Amino acid sequence: MAFRAQSPLLSALRSAQLARASVRFASTGAKPLTLKERLAELIPTEIEKVKQIRAEHGKKSFGPVLVDQLYGGMRGLPALIWDGSVLDAEEGIRFRGKSIPECQELLPKAPGGSEPLPEGLFWLLLTGEIPTQEQVKELSREWAARAAVPEFVEEILDRCPPTLHPMSQFSLAVTALNHDSAFAKAYQEGISKKDYWQSTFEDSMDLIAKLPNIAGTIYRNVFGDGKLPPIDPEKDYSHNLATLLGFDNEAFVELLRLYITIHSDHEGGNVSAHTGKLVGSALSDPFLAFGASLNGLAGPLHGLANQEVLIWLRKMQAKIGENASDEAVKEYVWSTLKAGQVVPGYGHAVLRKTDPRYTAQREFALKHMGNDPLFKLVAQVYSVVPDILLEAGKAKNPWPNVDAHSGVLLSHYGLTQMQFYTVLFGVSRAFGVAAQLIWDRALGAPLERPKSYSSDAIHKMFKQ
Ligand SMILES: CC(=O)SCCNC(=O)CCNC(=O)[C@H](O)C(C)(C)COP(=O)(O)OP(=O)(O)OC[C@H]1O[C@@H](n2cnc3c(N)ncnc32)[C@H](O)[C@@H]1OP(=O)(O)O
Ligand SMILES: O=C([O-])CC(=O)C(=O)O
């Protein structure tokens, strides 16, 4: 929740809560609150806040809905509540009000590391607060303890042909985790609505915790890299993910910390986030809801674009050679457009400037791999594509998005199998979707069911 614009009553309530929480640390010297305990404290205030917003503003309008918005993919239509992050077209994403550079500065880091730990980001997404070092350490341990995947899910993955796309395998495995859903079980046992959030929280924690093992199994099955090593309970989430994928390079671990943080959430309207929220609104458990998110993320206009960027760059290199001139790159970009294809990694449904996630990855590349030939090509493409898209005159945003840069970073460290890239995006996106699912159930969010119209109905409506 953004706690910035609050009534005096709500701020007083919240300050009292925060004060109580810190007094509890100070006076008892007890263990700091766990994420679930802190959430339990925040939920009553948030329920009151939403009640108050609805009482005060419930009948106010955001403005007209245009017929073009119905035909045009609902661009700009205010339609969803999403608390973890808000996207500004010019400035890019803020997680609970914090920009990417602010998160890089404020969130806890691993010893010796300089990138934020995704554990801290998850805490921030859920509570709006920056956790302590001790709290993220506890979260790393908790996720490590929950990381094991049921044997039958491993068997499902082992039986997938290596030709089945890693994203399809990922979605199958996540959906199958529903077998052990705490929410589904509690619902069958007749749980009260006010307790929905607790089992949703448990499932969400299990979901996030099990993703590294699932991703590692898919990677090793498809790309033939031997058996999975065990999770180390004393290591952080990204470190364990890197190990499971077979990488022991500390710079790669730092990359994963940054990667998961910046890919975690992008407000609620993007395909994967909205799908998760929609499916969750039917009280499908977090595994079913996030499995659906993954199927949306697997589309080339959304998360698959990071794979598409690398494929496109490699094809370009094959055609015009390495160290090609700007002219040759421009010609290749034009040939893509003239063939009726999109330039992958460029454009965005909301953003109208360079994606700050692109900038964060570019800065990482400048720090760690300034001389990588593929990074140089990515930078060269950045210097020519926006002008071409402007000249072509169709794309509303000619600037690069997050996917234009992620593949080159992964491939620099040897993760060259681009069909796998969107799986890492999916591991990250679970953080944002899970955080909102928990709040949706805590706040009693209703079944989503907007109104649809036929073209005939619209035609008749305006004829009169
Ligand atoms: C994590 C993410 O999901 S980030 C996005 C990842 N996707 C990509 O990078 C794929 C390439 N980009 C695109 O296809 C688009 O820019 C999208 C899907 C991201 C956004 O789509 P929209 O909001 O519809 O974009 P926009 O309003 O600018 O589209 C207008 C026209 O420009 C075209 N256009 C937009 N971006 C591009 C591009 N990168 N290359 C060529 N044409 C483009 C659209 O295809 C559309 O053409 P049409 O009128 O013939 O249908
Ligand atoms: O916001 C969007 O529509 C797409 C995107 O960048 C994301 O989901 O990360």
Side-chain angles (χ1 to χ4, degrees):
M1 303 312 94
F3 288 108
R4 282 181 295 174
Q6 281 183 351
S7 73
L9 170 71
L10 285 172
S11 343
L13 259 171
R14 184 166 153 71
S15 313
Q17 265 185 348
L18 280 170
R20 268 202 310 278
S22 43
V23 164
R24 207 144 32 108
F25 290 125
S27 62
T28 62
K31 279 186 84 172
L33 294 181
T34 65
L35 181 54
K36 194 172 185 184
E37 287 164 345
R38 183 69 190 122
L39 201 52
E41 290 191 337
L42 293 172
I43 285 171
T45 317
E46 201 55 34
I47 290 175
E48 282 313 306
K49 179 174 149 191
V50 171
K51 269 192 198 150
Q52 190 178 334
I53 291 173
R54 294 191 67 171
E56 274 181 36
H57 309 295
K59 300 289 176 269
K60 292 180 186 162
S61 164
F62 273 91
V65 174
L66 305 180
V67 172
D68 264 349
Q69 288 179 297
L70 273 74
Y71 283 104
M74 297 182 278
R75 291 295 178 286
L77 191 75
L80 298 167
I81 294 293
W82 195 269
D83 290 309
S85 63
V86 174
L87 182 63
D88 179 85
E90 306 285 315
E91 187 197 48
I93 197 68
R94 278 183 181 265
F95 304 110
R96 294 288 188 156
K98 299 203 170 12
S99 66
I100 289 173
E102 285 166 354
C103 286
Q104 284 173 301
E105 191 194 324
L106 297 170
L107 290 174
K109 325 268 183 305
S114 56
E115 298 300 343
L117 287 167
E119 285 85 336
L121 194 269
F122 186 61
W123 190 292
L124 175 68
L125 288 175
L126 260 181
T127 65
E129 298 166 358
I130 304 285
T132 63
Q133 201 73 38
E134 209 179 349
Q135 285 170 322
V136 295
K137 182 78 195 163
E138 217 28 67
L139 203 46
S140 301
R141 286 205 187 100
E142 187 167 355
W143 284 344
R146 292 172 182 253
V149 171
E151 222 173 279
F152 84 93
V153 176
E154 280 172 20
E155 278 163 20
I156 290 176
L157 290 175
D158 291 346
R159 290 173 70 101
C160 287
T163 45
L164 183 62
H165 194 281
M167 280 303 282
S168 312
Q169 300 195 29
F170 196 16
S171 154
L172 278 175
V174 167
T175 301
L177 290 177
N178 137 277
H179 184 268
D180 297 332
S181 163
F183 179 85
K185 182 164 178 280
Y187 191 85
Q188 288 310 319
E189 286 166 359
I191 191 181
S192 156
K193 284 180 180 180
K194 69 178 172 29
D195 294 326
Y196 283 173
W197 77 268
Q198 309 228 26
S199 46
T200 302
F201 179 89
E202 295 303 328
D203 281 351
S204 298
M205 293 284 278
D206 278 345
L207 169 71
I208 292 173
K210 292 178 194 316
L211 296 180
N213 265 322
I214 292 176
T217 305
I218 296 170
Y219 186 67
R220 287 169 185 263
N221 279 355
V222 175
F223 305 107
D225 207 17
K227 284 262 162 277
L228 279 188
I231 291 262
D232 181 345
E234 286 311 309
K235 294 281 195 251
D236 65 273
Y237 187 81
S238 312
H239 196 287
N240 276 320
L241 175 59
T243 310
L244 290 165
L245 296 173
F247 293 82
D248 64 0
N249 177 333
E250 195 46 42
F252 180 75
V253 175
E254 278 284 275
L255 171 63
L256 285 185
R257 291 175 184 137
L258 174 67
Y259 182 104
I260 296 173
T261 298
I262 65 176
H263 284 78
S264 61
D265 206 27
H266 216 232
E267 72 169 32
N270 68 75
V271 170
S272 49
H274 182 195
T275 305
K277 184 180 171 78
L278 166 70
V279 175
S281 85
L283 298 186
S284 305
D285 64 60
F287 306 109
L288 296 178
F290 188 64
S293 294
L294 287 175
N295 290 336
L297 195 70
L301 295 188
H302 190 24
L304 202 77
N306 54 20
Q307 158 187 320
E308 298 300 291
V309 167
L310 250 268
I311 292 175
W312 183 75
L313 290 174
R314 292 281 184 217
K315 275 192 195 155
M316 184 192 307
Q317 274 183 331
K319 177 104 192 211
I320 64 178
E322 289 197 7
N323 301 314
S325 66
D326 285 356
E327 282 317 307
V329 174
K330 282 182 192 169
E331 205 177 305
Y332 190 82
V333 175
W334 275 115
S335 73
T336 302
L337 292 177
K338 283 179 187 152
Q341 294 160 17
V342 295
V343 178
Y346 280 76
H348 199 273
V350 179
L351 283 165
R352 294 296 175 257
K353 287 270 164 67
T354 296
D355 190 335
R357 299 172 297 178
Y358 178 93
T359 310
Q361 294 182 98
R362 180 175 157 78
E363 277 161 13
F364 188 95
L366 286 167
K367 185 168 159 195
H368 294 275
M369 58 190 77
N371 288 323
D372 183 300
L374 205 55
F375 167 58
K376 287 188 173 164
L377 180 59
V378 166
Q380 189 180 18
V381 165
Y382 185 26
S383 73
V384 306
V385 166
D387 282 345
I388 295 177
L389 285 178
L390 282 174
E391 194 181 330
K394 281 217 294 189
K396 292 192 188 67
N397 174 36
W399 301 105
N401 59 59
V402 67
D403 293 321
H405 217 305
S406 42
V408 66
L409 302 180
L410 297 168
S411 78
H412 176 82
Y413 292 108
L415 209 168
T416 52
Q417 299 88 352
M418 38 205 119
Q419 289 78 5
F420 187 74
Y421 291 170
T422 312
V423 173
L424 290 179
F425 195 157
V427 171
S428 321
R429 191 46 58 95
F431 286 56
V433 172
Q436 189 60 39
L437 285 172
I438 295 166
W439 272 111
D440 278 351
R441 300 294 77 79
L443 297 172
L447 179 86
E448 264 193 42
R449 201 335 184 160
K451 179 81 190 92
S452 65
Y453 290 86
S454 65
S455 288
D456 275 349
I458 289 175
H459 187 67
K460 276 187 202 140
M461 199 183 307
F462 292 104
K463 225 167 117 185
Q464 284 158 12

